[in-house]
Amino acid sequence: MQVEKLRSLIRESINEYIREIDDQGTGAMFEAKMEACEAAIKKREDKLRSIDENEELKEMVDAGKLKDIQKEITELKKYHKKLEKLKGKHSNKGKKKEMTTDAKTDEEAPVEEADITAGMDMGEEPLNESFLKMQKLAGVITETQYNQKKKS
């Protein structure tokens, strides 16, 4: 029974780790989109600036095309602001999840090694190294306990 409880704790820690990876990936996605958006804005602004500086080009370029470029810039800026808001919501959501999981783990009673070994049949094979590592990652055992069990 205690072994099942440990396995469920380990599964939960793995799922939490996967969620963290997803959150980091989503954050990186927002960053990449924002950088691409900034690059597109800069490119269009540079184009406008170069046309304004060169009088010969200014006469040759259609005024409608200039307005189109300015509209593109405003659309890109709106999209950039939207991405910033989404990224902010995403990062706040991650912080709330961290706070709720911290509160949840504080309420749970720690599992003692004696409880685990008492629930085991003598016929069961001892815990393997990967299971011990998962216990350590789940916070069930400390680093010192992990090293001691690994040596024995």
Side-chain angles (χ1 to χ4, degrees):
M1 183 177 197
Q2 294 292 332
V3 174
E4 287 300 319
K5 187 184 276 188
L6 277 176
R7 287 185 179 148
S8 69
L9 284 172
I10 291 170
R11 262 186 249 116
E12 287 175 9
S13 93
I14 291 171
N15 289 337
E16 184 177 319
Y17 183 69
I18 290 170
R19 267 187 252 117
E20 288 176 11
I21 292 170
D22 286 341
D23 288 344
Q24 291 173 355
T26 305
M29 175 200 61
F30 283 127
E31 285 292 325
K33 284 183 175 183
M34 289 170 61
E35 286 176 16
C37 192
E38 289 169 1
I41 291 170
K42 187 177 185 312
K43 180 180 176 182
R44 283 162 178 77
E45 286 176 343
D46 289 344
K47 201 181 275 189
L48 283 178
R49 194 174 304 113
S50 67
I51 291 171
D52 285 340
E53 290 173 357
N54 192 339
E55 291 298 323
E56 293 174 6
L57 279 177
K58 196 173 190 180
E59 293 173 2
M60 298 166 88
V61 176
D62 184 23
K65 293 288 183 180
L66 290 176
K67 287 184 180 180
D68 288 343
I69 293 173
Q70 289 173 339
K71 285 180 184 178
E72 289 176 4
I73 291 172
T74 56
E75 287 178 29
L76 286 168
K77 285 182 179 180
K78 285 180 186 177
Y79 183 66
H80 190 271
K81 286 180 183 178
K82 180 181 174 183
L83 287 174
E84 286 177 340
K85 287 180 183 178
L86 289 173
K87 183 182 176 197
K89 287 180 183 178
H90 175 74
S91 64
N92 289 338
K93 185 174 84 172
K95 289 178 184 176
K96 288 179 184 177
K97 281 184 182 178
E98 287 177 11
M99 292 171 57
T100 56
T101 53
D102 288 344
K104 181 182 174 185
T105 54
D106 288 343
E107 293 172 6
E108 293 178 3
V111 179
E112 295 293 324
E113 181 182 348
D115 294 339
I116 298 167
T117 55
M120 293 175 63
D121 293 337
M122 290 304 181
E124 285 187 43
E125 55 184 71
L127 301 175
N128 61 19
E129 188 175 333
S130 62
F131 189 73
L132 289 173
K133 188 172 184 176
M134 293 310 293
Q135 284 180 325
K136 184 184 83 168
L137 290 173
V140 176
I141 61 174
T142 64
E143 181 79 28
T144 309
Q145 292 172 333
Y146 169 75
N147 289 333
Q148 289 173 350
K149 289 181 181 186
K150 189 175 172 184
K151 288 179 183 177
S152 62

